[in-house]
Amino acid sequence: MAIAGANTAAYRVADHRYTDDSDDEDELIRLAQAGDGAAFGQLYDRYLPSIYRYTYSKTSSRSAAEDLTSETFLRAFRAIARRPRAHLNFAAWLVTIARNVVIDHHRSGWSRLAIVTDEVDPQIDESVGPEQAALQSVSTATVRDALTRLPDDQRECLVLRFFAGLSISETAAAMDRTDGAVKQLQFRATNRLRQVVKDR
């Protein structure tokens, strides 16, 4: 599962998990929890782009993001058998692991937080309405700068929703909030982001 040194383009492919049947994913999770490495490999392939985008949005280099992504999946592989099957939201669980890996990375003292580089494009959910228009109307460099001016929870919400490509419910699980709270947070964050861009 090592990914260090791999071509970055591999991580920017379309995220196919939204077209996959949820029953199929539940079965893959069940098999992976029973020790099936091939099933975990399919989950790895499915979620690799999202986790890479998330870690890359939190670091200043591709190599660091690749290492953090590898560490995220390694920790997930080691821990999945201990997770309750009926309660495992795999996407949110992976992001929680990735967030902890990133925190550990920054605490180690050999990296600084850098929010969203020009090489990572937002993964915009077309169902989000005004938020989509707000993010599409400005350049990635502008978004990167504006995100650094948001409160931590608002920035995290937008990174999870539009860079990692998580759904509202997955973001809520990752942030330990309700769906409604995430919708309100996203609304406040995009309004503030829009204002920051406007005031630049």
Side-chain angles (χ1 to χ4, degrees), residues 136-148:
Q136 284 183 328
S137 66
V138 294
S139 71
T140 304
T142 301
V143 171
R144 177 189 63 216
D145 179 64
L147 280 171
T148 65

Side-chain angles (χ1 to χ4, degrees), residues 118-130:
D118 290 328
E119 296 184 32
V120 179
D121 300 321
Q123 301 299 304
I124 297 172
D125 179 349
E126 294 184 4
S127 67
V128 299

Side-chain angles (χ1 to χ4, degrees), residues 185-198:
L185 182 61
Q186 178 179 303
F187 179 75
R188 291 196 305 271
T190 51
N191 280 344
R192 183 156 184 173
L193 184 69
R194 190 181 296 114
Q195 189 62 47
V196 168
V197 170
K198 182 180 176 182

Side-chain angles (χ1 to χ4, degrees), residues 33 40 47 50-52 54-55 58 65 67-83 88-106 156 160 166 170 173-175:
Q33 289 176 318
F40 187 86
Y47 285 95
S50 291
I51 297 303
Y52 177 80
Y54 178 79
T55 59
K58 299 288 189 175
D67 289 345
L68 295 177
T69 301
S70 289
E71 178 64 18
T72 296
F73 281 99
L74 181 60
R75 290 188 190 184
F77 182 72
R78 290 173 174 165
I80 193 169
R82 299 190 302 269
R83 300 297 301 178
L88 183 56
N89 180 326
F90 194 76
W93 181 60
L94 271 182
V95 168
T96 299
I97 294 172
R99 183 187 295 122
N100 290 334
V101 167
V102 168
I103 289 169
D104 291 347
H105 169 72
H106 292 302
E156 185 74 0
L160 291 174
L166 299 190
E170 290 167 342
M175 296 187 74

